[in-house]
């Protein structure tokens, strides 16, 4: 089926990395297509990289271009509810995103992952294990490389992270396996409620053969399962891919078959154990022999700034979770931490008006010392009796380093943005990592 039949005029809405990848892809097609770009920003990123033959309209909408288009490709950052986009839809002009174009072009099997938390780690780890199992894999989508750029080099398998925004404009993505990791409140500025947000996420299952769901989160289950689809579950206490205890040792397992002791993982936290179970389920569904890559699984320590162990000396772990810029992310990091010593937890920065009270019950379960810093550090002080107030991370690390003992953990999981003291969360995480290596 030639999905490009009758399409001669394409308008790309939104430039940046994704928009540039769309334009580049369209220009490589062996089709007689005119491509134009609209970006409502005055000086959109990527402007200087745009092909000189492609017209660019900036600083406003151009409805004449939109209404003359045979196809409109919108950036995931542009809401479908935008009035100008709604006008296009009402005129019957197809509106898609870059993932839909990827679906039209991809010929190798595709795995895709969505969820409120953890999808980047699952995507990255799935790609790493597939590669070390001998598969030529392309990893991207909502993480790293735009999906369309993955098509430049032929692959045996594609692994995509997909956001709800990307899924809204995707209808024909055939997947060998799809995972919906979890659902928690997010992006309520784009949705009229949790039901709409969940519906967008569930679109990942529309054309998937294997549907990988979270046994511990019923919201990840599809409302309907097709006759040619199979449901696979993962969970920390039950599911096809789960944890079993044998002679006091917890094992990752696939049904009755044990895979690896949980203690062999470098990753920190039970949420990451669940992420590993998801990866194993996806690779099994894709027919990949992940057992070849178990050495990789043992040494994988996560994405940078996401619950990443950056130093481990004298059995004292230093964990960089600077990506935790909101309460939900820090809750995920704290949930199910398995440490025999004291947790030295660093929180603070710009709170963005968040309600931090949800952290208190989780902190109450832990042997923890809480260190609050930055612009909104005072708001975090009531969370735990051990809380102390500091100016910055440097002061905290210098103070606690001499008292650390075997079995302790020092974790930066701020629950806040970084912009009061750092350029971004990456710079904050890099600073913590440098201190960890200095004092470990």
């Amino acid at each position: 089926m030639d999905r490009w039949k009758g399409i001669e005029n394409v308008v790309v809405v939104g430039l940046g990395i994704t928009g540039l990848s769309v334009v580049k892809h369209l220009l490589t097609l062996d089709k007689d297509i005119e491509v134009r770009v609209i970006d409502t920003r005055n000086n959109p990123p990527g402007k200087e990289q745009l092909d000189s033959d492609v017209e660019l309209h900036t600083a406003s909408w151009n409805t004449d271009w939109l209404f003359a288009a045979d196809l409109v490709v919108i950036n995931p950052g542009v809401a479908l509810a935008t009035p100008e986009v709604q006008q296009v839809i009402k005129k019957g002009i197809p509106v898609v995103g870059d993932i839909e174009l990827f679906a039209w072009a991809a010929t190798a099997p595709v795995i895709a992952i969505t969820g409120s938390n953890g999808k980047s780690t699952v995507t990255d780890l799935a790609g790493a294990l597939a590669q070390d199992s001998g598969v030529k894999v392309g990893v991207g989508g909502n993480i790293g490389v735009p999906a369309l750029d993955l098509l430049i080099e032929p692959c045996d398998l594609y692994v995509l992270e997909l956001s709800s925004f990307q899924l809204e404009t995707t209808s024909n993505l055939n997947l060998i396996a799809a995972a919906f990791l979890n659902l928690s409140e997010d992006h309520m500025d784009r949705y009229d409620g949790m039901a709409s947000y969940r519906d967008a996420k569930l679109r990942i299952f529309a054309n998937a053969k294997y549907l990988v769901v979270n046994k511990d989160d019923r919201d990840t289950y599809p409302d309907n399962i097709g006759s040619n689809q199979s449901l696979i579950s993962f969970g920390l206490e039950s599911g096809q891919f789960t944890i079993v205890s044998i002679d006091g040792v917890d094992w990752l397992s696939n049904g009755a078959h044990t895979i690896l002791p949980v203690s062999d993982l470098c990753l920190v936290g039970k949420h990451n154990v669940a992420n590993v179970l998801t990866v194993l389920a996806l690779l099994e569904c894709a027919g990949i022999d992940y057992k070849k890559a178990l050495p990789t699984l043992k040494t994988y320590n996560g994405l940078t700034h996401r619950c990443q162990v950056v130093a481990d000396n004298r059995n004292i772990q230093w964990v960089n979770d600077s990506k935790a810029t909101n309460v939900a992310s820090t809750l995920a990091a704290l949930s199910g931490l398995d440490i025999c010593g004291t947790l030295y937890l660093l929180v603070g920065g710009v709170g963005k008006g968040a309600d931090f009270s949800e952290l208190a019950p989780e902190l109450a379960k832990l042997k923890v010392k809480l260190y609050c810093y930055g612009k909104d550090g005072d708001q975090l002080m009531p969370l735990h009796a051990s809380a102390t107030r500091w100016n910055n991370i440097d002061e905290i690390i210098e103070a606690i380093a001499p008292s650390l003992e075997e079995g302790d953990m020092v974790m930066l999981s701020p629950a806040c943005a970084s912009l009061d003291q750092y350029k971004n969360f990456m710079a904050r995480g890099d600073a913590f990592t440098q201190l960890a290596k200095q004092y470990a």
Side-chain angles (χ1 to χ4, degrees), residues 227-239:
S227 58
N228 60 340
Q229 295 181 311
S230 299
L231 197 70
I232 307 294
S233 64
F234 68 90
L236 294 174
E237 297 183 359
S238 62

Side-chain angles (χ1 to χ4, degrees), residues 30-68:
D30 186 20
K31 308 286 182 182
D32 186 16
I33 296 174
E34 180 183 13
V35 181
R36 293 188 284 192
V37 179
I38 297 171
D39 196 302
T40 58
R41 293 169 289 190
N42 289 321
N43 189 27
K47 177 181 177 181
E48 66 286 348
Q49 298 170 254
L50 189 64
D51 190 289
S52 58
D53 292 334
V54 176
E55 282 189 88
L56 172 63
H57 177 92
T58 62
S60 67
W61 289 92
N62 186 325
T63 53
D64 288 342
W65 283 12
L66 288 172
F67 298 159

Side-chain angles (χ1 to χ4, degrees), residues 131-190:
Q131 177 176 299
D132 290 348
S133 298
V135 177
K136 186 173 182 182
V137 61
V139 179
N142 193 49
I143 176 179
V145 181
L148 289 169
D149 285 355
L150 298 176
L151 298 172
I152 296 171
E153 295 289 335
C155 291
D156 302 320
L157 176 74
Y158 297 104
V159 181
L160 301 182
E161 174 188 321
L162 299 180
S163 69
S164 57
F165 302 160
Q166 289 171 312
L167 288 165
E168 286 176 359
T169 54
T170 303
S171 302
N172 295 285
L173 182 61
N174 292 314
L175 301 171
I176 185 68
F180 187 172
L181 305 180
N182 46 58
L183 186 72
S184 61
E185 187 171 329
D186 203 358
H187 303 305
M188 289 299 103
D189 55 338
R190 280 277 291 260

